Each structure stands twice: as structure tokens, then as C-alpha cells.
Amino acid sequence: MDHFLYRNGVLHAEDVNLTEIAAEVGTPAYVYSTATLERHFRLFDEALDGMPHLVCYAMKAASNQAILKTLAQLGAGMDVVSGGEYARAKAAGVPGERIVFAGVGKTREEIAQALAGGVRQFNVESEPELALISEVARGLGLTAPVTIRVNPDVDAKTHAKISTGKSENKFGVPISRARDVYAEAARLPGIEVVGIDVHIGSQLTELAPFEGAFTKVAELTEQLRADGHRIDRLDLGGGLGIPYQNTNEKPPLPFDYGALIRRTVGHLGCEIEIEPGRLIAGNAGILLARVIYVKEGEGRRFLILDAAMNDLIRPAMYDAWHDIVPVAEPEPGAERAVYDIVGPVCESGDTFAKSREMPELAAGDLVAFRSAGAYGAVMASEYNTRPLVPEVLVKGDHHAVIRERPTFDEMISRDTIPQWLRED
Ligand SMILES: *Cc1c(COP(=O)(O)O)cnc(C)c1O
């Protein structure tokens, strides 16, 4: 469910008319709904009600400071995967004890940054990383709380590029080796084992892979406790999918996911952490764009938009589907047409949809890409020297630009000319 609905014939974000945002901010632009962000966070929080828990928003999904503050005010923790994200979480006012540091390649500098600023735990992905964390922590005279991310060898049944829990993926320590790695962690100075971590992939549309993974984590918890480790905390990752194609997708609900967690690991008395990203931000954002041209090709019609793959890369990268709807509500019985919907970038991959049937559109019309809030703006680039796409946050009848579109001068002035090319 989201808060992007037609009202008086125009698509609104909560109470704000999207044509007004387009007129003020220009297109392309991302627009997020506060009510949707809050609703989705609360669904997870409530799904774990009665168990000690922390919902750590996976901020790589959408990491604007205003989005982080919105969630942090509700009590969200943050799951960060880089020093930059750690700094963003701190800048948004999230205390270190609510920041989980994940990621397969944490550097010495990132580890030191998080230890100095405070961190709830590092989710450790390899033995060399464990050794480095021990060394850095000892050097600072600190103790690093850690979980080991185990790879349960479970097929998440999602797109190959967002599947992370099979043995061939680069993530985590094979679960078969977990006991050895925990023994090593217990021996190392500067390390305090606090629990176990698992994350099997993103955009999961069934609960069965989670069940497989969580069941293995429960067994491992008992084994590790028998080996003498303190396992007080289970970080079960993120990955719950969202409906991208409104009509025929029904991914599991947070409530059922919470019930599964209770059933598989609830008896262990651990504090539960989850790291949802996509389900919190995905349907909370749209990408607003304008039709530049309708071009008649040979046997096909192209809808050429002012948004491109540099603004929203998911279709090019993951073959992702986004519902694309006109901002002006079509009249009942309006003419329909079939389009290839593309951007202006010089790549054939700059295609958002092929043979998409939708209401007939003309140059100048506005469209909205639904479910674009997660892995949208954060993956944007300035390819083709297209300005980094701006972001707008709506709350009720208020809206604010939360990231400005840079000017060409700002973009160019980030480059510097070496001495030998200077004319003066
Ligand atoms: C990407 C990621 C998440 C979030 O996944 P979603 O599918 O967006 O919920 C959570 N944890 C880790 C470790 C991740 O890499």
C-alpha cells in the first residue's frame, strides 16, 4: 500500500499534486511519501511485537538525510555498508548503538571510524576481516561487538544479481565452517561475539527460503551455545519483496514474516534484528518524468522520456518492471497504445519498458514510475553529464526539496585542471 493516488483527476503524493511538484522542481525528480515510509517501518516493528527487537533500515535502499531522519525519529536503527553510509547515519542523528555495520569489504579506515563513533555490531563476512577488526580494536583499546554472517546455502529464488545466500555468492562464511570461525573469534583479542547474522538476498517473493535460512540459524545457535559462545542476538537480514507489477504479485506481508521469525527462532530468547530496505522505501517513492517525444519507429512507437537509466538503473541492471502511469488520470475508455518507453541516453540499455500497453500519451505529458523509492536515487549517476536527479519529500500537504538538482556549473566545477593544461 502507498500514498500515491489519483485525486480530482491528478496523481497526488499524499495531499500534494504531482503536476505542481513537476512545475516547481522540474523533471526528472524522485518524490517520496512520509506516510508510506512510516507505515512500512511500523509494519515491521509491529510484526516483531513481543520479542526484543530492532528494525535496522538498510539505508542503501534510499539514504537521503531526510528519509533517514524520518525513520530514525520512529526508533529505527540503520544497517550501513560503507564509511559513507555510517557518516550519513550519524549525521541524521542515529546513535552508534543503533548502527549495524555490514558489507563484505570493510576497510581498516571504516572499521576505525565505526569503533571510534560507536557501533552496535559489525556483521563479519570473513576470517581476514575478523582478524583486521581485532587488530584495529586492540590498537584503539576498544572491544568490537561482532556477529559472523553465515551463508546458509539457501536459494532465495530471486534475480541472480540480488541473490546472496548460495554458496557460490561472495557473502558470508559457509555455515559448515561457522563453528571454526566462532572459535577463532573467541580466541581473538578485541572481539566480543554477540550473535549470528544472515541475509540471503533481496526481493524475495516467498517465505520458504527465509524459513530454510532461519531454521539453519536456529540449529547453529544451539550448537554455538553448546560450544560455549554467547549468542544473544540474531540479525536475520532484509530481503522481503514488494509488488512491482500491481496486478499479479502478492509477496508475503511483514506480519507473516514476523510470524515466521517467531516460529523459527522465537524460542531461543535472542534479541532479533532485521534489516529491511526495499519494503520500507520501495513503494514510498516514485520517479516523476515528462514525455519529450513520441517517435514512430518501424513497427513500434517510442515514448522518449526526460528520465534515463542514469536516474533509475533497475530496468537496465535487473530487468526490473516498474508500473509507469500518467500523472493526469486517464478518462474511462481512453485510447490505449503500445510503447517502448526509453530515455535519452546513448545506450540501447536505456529502455524502461518494451511493448508496454498504456493510455495514449503526448509530448509534454507527465508520467510516474511507481515503486521507485528503493535502489532508485541512490544508484543514480551523472552519466551523459545529466544532473544528479533531485529528490522531494512530501508530508501531508507539505513538500520540500531534500536534494537539489545541481547546475551544470556545479557539475563542471568538481573537475580540476592540472597545471600543465592551464593557460595562465
Ligand atoms: C541489501 C541488504 C539488505 C536490504 O535488502 P532489502 O531487499 O532492500 O530489504 C539488508 N541487509 C544486507 C546485509 C544487505 O546487503
Side-chain angles (χ1 to χ4, degrees), residues 43-59:
L43 285 178
F44 279 112
D45 206 28
E46 286 160 15
L48 299 179
D49 208 21
M51 290 188 276
H53 68 274
L54 184 66
V55 179
C56 293
Y57 169 59
M59 61 180 273

Side-chain angles (χ1 to χ4, degrees), residues 44 56-61 79-81 102-103 123 125 149 162 164 171 197-199 201-204 235-241 274-280 374-375:
F44 279 112
C56 293
Y57 169 59
M59 61 180 273
K60 73 179 193 281
D79 168 59
V80 309
V81 293
N123 291 339
E125 301 232 5
R149 176 171 178 179
I162 47 176
T164 60
F171 300 96
D197 171 49
V198 70
H199 170 73
S202 195
Q203 187 52 18
L204 272 73
D235 182 335
L236 301 175
L240 201 56
I274 54 171
E275 305 169 343
R278 188 188 306 273
L279 202 146
I280 289 180
Y375 308 104

Side-chain angles (χ1 to χ4, degrees), residues 129-153:
E129 185 194 337
L130 189 60
L132 183 58
I133 293 175
S134 164
E135 184 190 317
V136 176
R138 232 173 5 144
L140 293 171
L142 296 169
T143 299
V146 305
T147 71
I148 308 292
R149 176 171 178 179
V150 294
N151 184 325
D153 196 21

Side-chain angles (χ1 to χ4, degrees), residues 200-394:
I200 57 173
S202 195
Q203 187 52 18
L204 272 73
T205 52
E206 305 167 29
L207 286 180
F210 287 120
E211 179 155 16
F214 299 168
T215 304
K216 288 188 178 188
V217 167
E219 287 164 13
L220 180 63
T221 304
E222 315 253 19
Q223 279 176 356
L224 292 176
R225 284 178 171 170
D227 290 347
H229 302 285
R230 265 190 74 173
I231 305 296
D232 295 337
R233 197 179 284 173
L234 299 179
D235 182 335
L236 301 175
L240 201 56
I242 64 172
Y244 279 101
Q245 213 164 340
N246 274 332
T247 42
N248 52 16
E249 287 177 30
K250 292 258 178 299
L253 302 172
F255 180 82
D256 298 318
Y257 172 77
L260 172 71
I261 291 174
R262 218 175 290 272
R263 196 167 74 242
T264 49
V265 300
H267 59 287
L268 297 166
C270 288
E271 177 177 27
I272 304 298
E273 290 168 1
I274 54 171
E275 305 169 343
R278 188 188 306 273
L279 202 146
I280 289 180
N283 288 335
I286 57 134
L287 174 63
L288 195 55
R290 201 179 283 282
V291 178
I292 311 175
Y293 299 113
V294 181
K295 172 171 164 173
E296 299 293 337
E298 212 160 340
R300 39 182 86 230
R301 288 168 99 184
F302 294 98
L303 210 52
I304 303 177
L305 305 183
D306 63 1
M309 64 189 290
N310 70 296
D311 305 306
L312 176 65
I313 205 171
R314 298 190 64 261
M317 189 136 109
Y318 310 114
D319 309 309
W321 172 289
H322 284 273
D323 279 340
I324 303 171
V325 299
V327 169
E329 186 172 19
E331 301 286 338
E335 285 292 320
R336 295 179 73 81
V338 175
Y339 298 109
D340 281 8
I341 305 175
V342 303
V345 159
C346 313
E347 303 252 358
S348 297
D350 187 22
T351 298
F352 292 119
K354 285 208 156 136
S355 305
R356 182 74 66 92
E357 194 197 301
M358 58 187 295
E360 196 157 43
L361 290 167
D365 286 348
L366 289 169
V367 295
F369 288 71
R370 286 185 161 281
S371 313
Y375 308 104
V378 282
M379 286 185 149
S381 77
E382 292 184 343
Y383 186 39
N384 281 206
T385 306
R386 293 167 48 85
L388 197 61
V389 60
E391 298 178 281
V392 176
L393 182 63
V394 168

Side-chain angles (χ1 to χ4, degrees), residues 57-63 65 68 78-91 99 101 110 113 378:
Y57 169 59
M59 61 180 273
K60 73 179 193 281
S63 59
Q65 289 289 290
L68 302 187
M78 297 290 154
D79 168 59
V80 309
V81 293
S82 70
E85 284 195 350
Y86 180 87
R88 268 188 182 281
K90 284 312 262 311
I99 302 177
F101 206 127
E110 288 172 328
Q113 175 192 5
V378 282

